[in-house]
Amino acid sequence: MSLFNLAGRTAVVVGGTSGIGRTLSIGLAEAGADVVASGRRMALVKDVSAEIERRGRRTLSISSDVGDIASLEHLRDECVKTFGKVDIMLAVAGMTKKTPSIDMNDDDWQKVIETNLTGTFRACQVFGRHMIERQYGRIVTIGSLSSFVGLYQVAAYVASKAGVAGLTRALAVEWAPYNVTVNSIVPGLFRTDLNAALLDSPRGQEFLMRTPMKRFGRQEELVGAAIFLASEASTFVTGHMLAVDGGFLASGVNQ
């Protein structure tokens, strides 16, 4: 089990204050890491920081925005000043916009791409620079089922998450010589504030029908994948998209 022990590691979760990001932040803390969970809303930052401290780990309360590279640099610099290093970075911030593609305007398209793809790149670039200098790092992005398949009326989201898959592979190849791994977790259907209405709709039932395990995931079921990709158990794993999806992507006709 020592391969999965994150004691002595410092992790930053960008977009780590709500939904899946919050669950992963607390999960990394329970695995032994000092964890800084950051997001735009300071009230949520302070709330998850208190949860991390309750688990006996060190943390900082710093807000950040993936749309503002200076805020990400400030987050990195404060973490390095306090902890001496950042070993692990999870880029979790994301958004979606459901609308017929024919009606989508440029502003809505750009907001989704800016947050999900460009924002992920910014976080990887800012923390990757520090990791390359140290010759060590574990970066985990968040992909999507739509990194592999098309989904209905969310073209910008699908394009952004397909981009995250390509970005993950590109950075993995580029940064492998520096002992920096870059991998992605691909969640199936997990209930969050972002998709609650979808899961309760007929479309949600269609997703359920196409999932061989016949249920939606529980957010804590993503923690093991994050710990694996952040730990010494995955030293020869990079550029990988790790699906935690109840068999969705493996499935064709399953009933």
Side-chain angles (χ1 to χ4, degrees):
M1 293 301 295
S2 62
L3 284 175
F4 299 92
N5 186 353
L6 299 182
R9 302 296 188 190
T10 301
V12 175
V13 184
V14 178
T17 58
S18 62
I20 287 171
R22 187 179 192 277
T23 299
L24 295 181
S25 297
I26 293 170
L28 293 176
E30 290 178 340
D34 295 323
V35 181
V36 177
S38 187
R40 291 181 299 168
R41 291 171 286 182
M42 183 54 79
L44 295 182
V45 171
K46 290 181 178 179
D47 178 70
V48 71
S49 294
E51 289 294 329
I52 292 165
E53 287 178 336
R54 272 194 278 273
R55 285 154 176 82
R57 310 303 173 206
R58 295 188 298 163
T59 188
L60 295 172
S61 294
I62 303 174
S63 63
S64 66
D65 183 348
V66 295
D68 178 5
I69 196 167
S71 77
L72 294 172
E73 291 171 339
H74 174 70
L75 173 63
R76 177 200 61 201
D77 293 346
E78 289 300 308
C79 290
V80 172
K81 185 188 302 182
T82 300
F83 301 104
K85 60 189 172 63
V86 175
D87 304 290
I88 302 155
M89 193 281 294
L90 275 60
V92 188
M95 66 170 295
T96 190
K97 173 75 174 181
K98 182 177 182 295
T99 190
S101 298
I102 199 73
D103 297 326
M104 174 161 270
N105 60 53
D106 281 357
D107 285 346
D108 287 338
W109 173 274
Q110 290 296 343
K111 286 176 185 175
V112 175
I113 299 296
E114 166 74 10
T115 299
N116 296 358
L117 180 54
T118 309
T120 294
F121 173 71
R122 287 192 188 104
C124 291
Q125 184 185 54
V126 167
F127 285 90
R129 182 173 288 112
H130 167 70
M131 292 174 177
I132 287 169
E133 290 172 355
R134 291 188 62 231
Q135 301 276 293
Y136 181 89
R138 300 284 180 266
I139 292 174
V140 181
T141 66
I142 301 296
S144 163
L145 298 177
S146 64
S147 297
F148 299 94
V149 300
L151 300 179
Y152 185 67
Q153 290 189 342
V154 284
Y157 182 79
V158 172
S160 70
K161 289 299 186 177
V164 167
L167 175 66
T168 299
R169 289 188 286 264
L171 297 181
V173 170
E174 190 173 343
W175 295 348
Y178 305 102
N179 196 29
V180 176
T181 65
V182 187
N183 293 289
S184 188
I185 296 172
V186 179
L189 271 293
F190 292 77
R191 184 175 292 275
T192 67
D193 292 341
L194 197 65
N195 68 7
L198 167 66
L199 298 194
D200 293 332
S201 72
R203 284 186 66 211
Q205 294 308 301
E206 181 182 353
F207 277 110
L208 198 60
M209 181 180 69
R210 292 181 58 185
T211 300
M213 285 192 174
K214 300 301 181 188
R215 65 175 177 85
F216 299 129
R218 298 181 294 272
Q219 288 188 35
E220 61 268 23
E221 291 178 304
L222 292 166
V223 172
I227 293 171
F228 168 66
L229 294 175
S231 73
E232 294 305 288
S234 61
T235 53
F236 203 54
V237 178
T238 198
H240 182 62
M241 308 292 291
L242 177 53
V244 185
D245 67 350
F248 183 97
L249 289 173
S251 176
V253 177
N254 57 58
Q255 65 175 4

